[in-house]
Amino acid sequence: VFYRTVYTDSSTVPRFACAVTQFAPTDDPRCCLPCWDEPELKATSMSLASGQRPHSDFPNMPEQSRSDISAAVLSRSHRSCPTYLAAFAVGRFDYVEDFDSDNFTPRLAGREQGRFALDVARKTLPFYNGLFQRRLSLPKLDLVAVPDWPFGAMERTGVCHLPTFETALVEHPTTPVRLLKNGGFGNLVTMQWWTHLWLNEGFASWIQYLCVDQCYPEFDIWTRFVKSDLSRALVLDALDSSHPIEVPIGSPCEIDEIFDAIKLLQGRLGDPHAARMAGPGAFRDGLSRYLDRHKYSNAQTEQLWKALEEASGQPVDFVMGTWTKQMGYPLISVSAKPADNDDGQQLELSISQERFQFGSNSSLAAWRVPIQVLTAEGVKINLLLTEKSAAVRVPKAAWVKLNPGFVGVYRTLYSEEMLTDLIAALQRGQLSQRDRFNLESDLFALFSAGRLSIVQLLQVVDACKVEQFYTVWADLLDNLAATIQVLVDQLGLSQQWRSFVCQLCEPAFQRCGGWDAQPGDGHDVALLRAALIRALGLAGHPSVCAIPADLRDSIYRTVLSNGGGPEFEAALDLMDKTDLQEEKDRIQRSLGSSRDPQLRQRVLQLVVSGDKVRLQDSIYVLGSVSSASLESRRATWRFIKCNWAWFQEKLRGQILLSRLVQQVCKNFCSSEDAEDIETFFQANPLPSAERNIKQALENARLNARVLAREGRNLENFWAKFDA
């Protein structure tokens, strides 16, 4: 309900405390004040906060009165809103403020380093005014930067809380942008019931990218959306343990269970389809209609579709109903042949759909899928697939690709001939960055689902040696680690794996200029260099391991992975001495990279000792150990089982316990490990993490099937890399 943290002002010696509300529905608001805390039951908020000068108070609405005797602050009343949106923060906060182009004054409570977040507010609020065709109706909007805030960015009506370090992240403006959207506009309409939770969460998350694209085009935010959101959602939603965007909710405990990554990410997937169908102008008009009809009230998904449909004249509800009410997404299979009764200038594409799943596919689900086809000559053809299969003609070309720009929410399975043509186009540099990303991402997923051989997959991996952009490399390295490395570890081929990574990444590392930044390097090159240094460092590449041990990010992992006791002690000493919490986070999330079993055990003990690792950071430290290797993963799981009573006592009632399961149990690769996890949680039920447990078991058994199918091929391939 309340989060208390302490911090040190750089100009003073004493440590100060601040208190911040964190109301998670439905129990938290009820613990603080008498209320029902349901979306349809609104309250006229009257926040009461207490803090003696020089403390500052940041409630939902502006201060109405202050008692000099009790130091209590009563804020102005506001039009109706649910009680879980009530919030305040009390502490010794300095603040900065600025005017936007509409003469509104957003404030940032935090250090001067956070001025970037204020600049984001000043720049994006006018965009939202135009998008929603209304001025911000609130009398104030505050961003409060909370030291050591463990919950991520939280937006409430008129006041938003976020971790201190996120206010200064120039490379990631999406956090303050989302807060401003929800804190200022998104909470104007509340979902009618928790079933429609995605309307507030997923929709807000997608709109933030639309805003950043308009206000900060240099960030190429849609490419980041593909990497950080779309591809991740497609992986989760291909599991049997997934769920639809809309899930009937019958009790409060079910809210926590569906308030997961799939809910947030699926929500981000529903909106691109609707926005593209309506068109930019009609989409803006439809949003305005939706807000006008339901402001300070409640709405269902169908009411948003209706408003967009009225504004655009397009069958939005007809198409979108298949995406929000059923689980999963389609696999589009496509093959090409010369068109009949033609002079050889056209191809006929045979297109069919089925549900994409990593496991066995027994689903009869079908979607209404907007599909775009791109040819080598740049010709684009659109169709709406409403049946199980269809045929379409396109001009004959050297290659044909579906889903250009990776805007469609589906995987594509090409015939062998079409895939060969696309790999050749990739090697010649004829595919755009997002199309290269799309091809690589789809093929890894198809391999995991048993629809592609390891030989075909590695052909694409080898072709990616010429890649020059960070986003494609980052996804490639993530997929190799999650899909191939876990299998290689199981086969005892870790040394060969490191040789493979060195051969794969070395050419790109040299193209970046090696370790030294070059004049004119852009932001993407800097990110790519860091990603390659991390990959090569963990693989033990000699030119990367020669770097000093006191550098950051990828370097911590490199040094700890290839060093021993002295390097480990140096990292602990550096963690103790630094004043920046984000620097402590970088170091402690790298400690698990050590390959020494004794040092690994020390890291695990740090979690429960309470000496160096804060409770909210414990799951990330455990995750860093678990992700290092198969031995580390099993050691972490044994440690958790032995200390389960401690974890239950410390993390009970928090989402952290569910995240712990997700972090540690997700990458096992044998049926024996899956049975061990399943047996443990049968004896120690954890209802709040039930879906995460199912996902972990499904992933482990999926990996075991892939290993049984491709193990011999993997051993043959890695035999050519020296141990």
Side-chain angles (χ1 to χ4, degrees):
V1 178
F2 296 99
Y3 182 74
R4 179 183 181 273
T5 185
V6 294
Y7 59 96
T8 302
D9 191 312
S10 58
S11 63
T12 59
V13 176
R15 302 177 78 199
F16 300 106
C18 64
V20 184
T21 53
Q22 165 54 16
F23 285 172
T26 57
D27 291 339
D28 287 354
R30 295 173 183 175
C31 290
C32 181
L33 49 93
C35 63
W36 290 103
D37 197 50
E38 293 183 1
E40 280 197 286
L41 302 177
K42 307 295 181 69
T44 301
S45 298
M46 298 285 286
S47 298
L48 185 68
S50 180
Q52 295 181 344
R53 301 292 189 187
H55 289 83
S56 302
D57 310 282
F58 291 88
N60 294 97
M61 291 291 107
E63 179 180 317
Q64 177 175 308
S65 62
R66 176 183 291 270
S67 169
D68 294 331
I69 299 175
S70 65
V73 177
L74 189 65
S75 69
R76 190 189 308 173
S77 62
H78 176 55
R79 298 188 67 169
S80 59
C81 69
T83 48
Y84 61 81
L85 294 180
F88 64 81
V90 180
R92 289 188 57 158
F93 293 109
D94 294 327
Y95 67 86
V96 289
E97 60 185 11
D98 204 348
F99 292 93
D100 67 14
S101 59
D102 294 322
N103 213 33
F104 185 80
T105 312
R107 295 191 301 176
L108 171 74
R111 297 179 178 179
E112 182 66 22
Q113 296 97 308
R115 179 167 284 277
F116 173 69
L118 187 64
D119 292 339
V120 170
R122 185 177 55 81
K123 198 169 185 178
T124 57
L125 283 174
F127 168 81
Y128 285 134
N129 288 338
L131 177 66
F132 299 121
Q133 299 183 15
R134 65 183 59 250
R135 285 178 58 85
L136 181 67
S137 60
L138 298 173
K140 78 169 185 69
L141 184 57
D142 296 328
L143 298 175
V144 181
V146 184
D148 292 351
W149 182 248
F151 303 104
M154 293 291 172
E155 56 272 16
R156 301 292 186 256
T157 301
V159 60
C160 307
H161 304 148
L162 71 163
T164 301
F165 72 91
E166 291 200 17
T167 64
L169 291 181
V170 178
E171 68 271 24
H172 290 294
T174 51
T175 295
V177 166
R178 189 185 86 242
L179 291 176
L180 292 163
K181 185 269 173 187
N182 251 14
F185 296 93
N187 294 324
L188 193 64
V189 178
T190 309
M191 65 272 182
Q192 187 167 341
W193 186 244
W194 304 109
T195 299
H196 306 281
L197 177 64
W198 84 278
L199 276 175
N200 286 68
E201 295 298 331
F203 184 65
S205 299
W206 182 77
I207 287 289
Q208 76 186 15
Y209 286 97
L210 187 66
C211 179
V212 173
D213 183 53
Q214 291 292 318
C215 298
Y216 297 90
E218 66 273 18
F219 285 104
D220 188 21
I221 199 65
W222 288 119
T223 299
R224 297 195 186 193
F225 166 78
V226 166
K227 168 67 175 74
S228 62
D229 290 36
L230 178 53
S231 60
R232 182 176 166 221
L234 291 175
V235 170
L236 291 173
D237 212 9
L239 298 173
D240 291 337
S241 49
S242 180
H243 58 74
I245 290 177
E246 294 185 352
V247 179
I249 300 298
S251 68
C253 65
E254 293 176 358
I255 300 173
D256 290 337
E257 188 178 346
I258 60 99
F259 200 100
D260 57 11
I262 299 174
K263 172 64 70 175
L264 299 180
L265 294 171
Q266 282 177 320
R268 299 175 197 184
L269 303 187
D271 302 294
H273 281 330
R276 286 196 303 276
M277 286 185 65
F283 183 68
R284 183 171 58 250
D285 292 343
L287 285 181
S288 180
R289 293 187 189 203
Y290 170 75
L291 292 175
D292 280 337
R293 289 173 183 170
H294 306 290
K295 60 185 177 184
Y296 305 114
S297 184
N298 301 77
Q300 299 178 4
T301 300
E302 290 77 13
Q303 290 165 324
L304 174 61
W305 300 153
K306 181 180 179 181
L308 293 175
E309 203 167 86
E310 291 173 351
S312 66
Q314 297 295 318
V316 177
D317 185 51
F318 173 75
V319 172
M320 296 309 302
T322 61
W323 293 92
T324 59
K325 297 184 182 302
Q326 63 183 356
M327 188 166 67
Y329 58 89
L331 169 66
I332 304 297
S333 299
V334 57
S335 60
K337 67 177 183 178
D340 295 334
N341 303 320
D342 189 75
D343 57 1
Q345 298 303 306
Q346 286 192 315
L347 295 173
E348 182 177 292
L349 303 183
S350 297
I351 299 174
S352 62
Q353 66 161 302
E354 61 186 285
R355 184 188 169 192
F356 179 77
Q357 288 178 274
F358 289 127
S360 59
N361 190 349
S362 58
S363 172
L364 299 177
W367 289 260
R368 298 175 185 121
V369 192
I371 292 177
Q372 189 172 75
V373 181
L374 172 70
T375 72
E377 282 69 36
V379 176
K380 290 184 178 180
I381 296 174
N382 297 300
L383 72 147
L384 180 63
L385 182 63
T386 59
E387 304 294 336
K388 280 286 189 178
S389 61
V392 62
R393 292 191 175 193
V394 301
K396 187 177 181 180
W399 52 265
V400 176
K401 185 184 182 301
L402 272 61
N403 202 7
F406 202 178
V407 294
V409 186
Y410 54 85
R411 300 287 190 188
T412 306
L413 175 61
Y414 296 97
S415 66
E416 188 170 345
E417 296 80 7
M418 293 182 73
L419 179 58
T420 300
D421 292 340
L422 284 170
I423 292 175
L426 187 154
Q427 292 172 319
R428 293 192 297 266
Q430 296 176 342
L431 301 181
S432 70
Q433 180 184 172
R434 268 186 252 169
D435 284 337
R436 298 193 300 274
F437 183 106
N438 179 208
L439 183 63
E440 169 265 324
S441 177
D442 279 359
L443 294 182
F444 268 98
L446 290 166
F447 168 75
S448 294
R451 309 295 288 264
L452 192 77
S453 72
I454 186 67
V455 174
Q456 291 172 300
L457 179 65
L458 291 173
Q459 286 176 344
V460 176
V461 172
D462 186 68
C464 287
K465 284 182 179 178
V466 300
E467 181 57 52
Q468 301 181 44
F469 286 92
Y470 163 74
T471 305
V472 181
W473 265 110
D475 194 65
L476 174 65
L477 294 171
D478 286 348
N479 282 331
L480 282 170
T483 306
I484 305 297
Q485 187 179 4
V486 294
L487 305 178
V488 171
D489 279 349
Q490 195 78 21
L491 295 170
L493 300 172
S494 298
Q495 290 296 332
Q496 289 87 343
W497 163 260
R498 295 186 187 107
S499 297
F500 164 75
V501 171
C502 289
Q503 291 188 29
L504 176 67
C505 298
E506 169 72 17
F509 180 60
Q510 295 303 328
R511 285 197 302 272
C512 287
W515 176 247
D516 298 321
Q518 304 298 310
D521 279 354
H523 184 60
D524 192 84
V525 174
L527 292 174
L528 175 57
R529 180 181 291 108
L532 293 171
I533 285 173
R534 172 177 292 190
L536 289 168
L538 293 175
H541 192 283
S543 65
V544 174
C545 290
I547 56 179
D550 59 347
L551 299 176
R552 299 183 295 177
D553 286 336
S554 307
I555 313 311
Y556 290 136
R557 295 178 186 268
T558 297
V559 172
L560 290 165
S561 176
N562 295 280
E567 289 79 9
F568 186 84
E569 296 299 337
L572 290 180
D573 184 58
L574 188 62
M575 188 170 73
D576 287 338
K577 290 180 178 178
T578 182
D579 292 328
L580 294 173
Q581 185 58 46
E582 53 266 38
E583 195 67 17
K584 291 181 185 289
D585 290 343
R586 290 191 188 100
I587 298 171
Q588 65 186 11
R589 296 184 190 197
S590 302
L591 293 175
S593 301
S594 176
R595 299 176 194 170
D596 186 321
Q598 292 182 336
L599 295 178
R600 179 176 62 213
Q601 198 62 30
R602 281 188 61 188
V603 178
L604 295 174
Q605 289 297 333
L606 285 176
V607 170
V608 297
S609 69
D611 182 24
K612 296 181 182 294
V613 178
R614 300 173 306 171
L615 191 62
Q616 64 261 31
D617 295 326
S618 60
I619 60 171
Y620 304 109
V621 177
L622 291 168
S624 77
V625 179
S626 177
S627 63
S629 67
L630 176 62
E631 290 181 3
S632 297
R633 196 151 38 251
R634 285 177 171 162
T636 306
W637 175 235
R638 288 194 299 269
F639 179 81
I640 289 174
K641 289 191 294 183
C642 291
N643 293 274
W644 185 244
W646 184 91
F647 286 107
Q648 278 204 306
E649 178 188 352
K650 298 296 184 181
L651 303 181
R652 181 181 295 277
Q654 302 184 45
I655 197 172
L656 296 178
L657 200 55
S658 179
R659 289 179 180 173
L660 173 67
V661 175
Q662 184 182 47
Q663 285 277 340
V664 174
C665 299
K666 62 182 179 181
N667 282 328
F668 282 105
C669 199
S670 72
S671 56
E672 292 79 10
D673 288 319
E675 289 171 7
D676 183 36
I677 295 170
E678 188 171 36
T679 300
F680 178 80
F681 284 114
Q682 285 174 347
N684 301 274
L686 189 60
S688 64
E690 183 177 349
R691 195 174 299 277
N692 283 333
I693 295 168
K694 289 180 179 178
Q695 290 173 351
L697 295 173
E698 190 175 346
N699 271 319
R701 287 165 177 150
L702 168 66
N703 288 337
R705 289 196 297 271
V706 174
L707 188 64
R709 186 184 73 237
E710 298 286 354
R712 181 61 59 86
N713 291 330
L714 284 166
E715 288 176 329
N716 292 338
F717 176 80
W718 258 269
K720 62 185 178 182
F721 295 97
D722 294 333

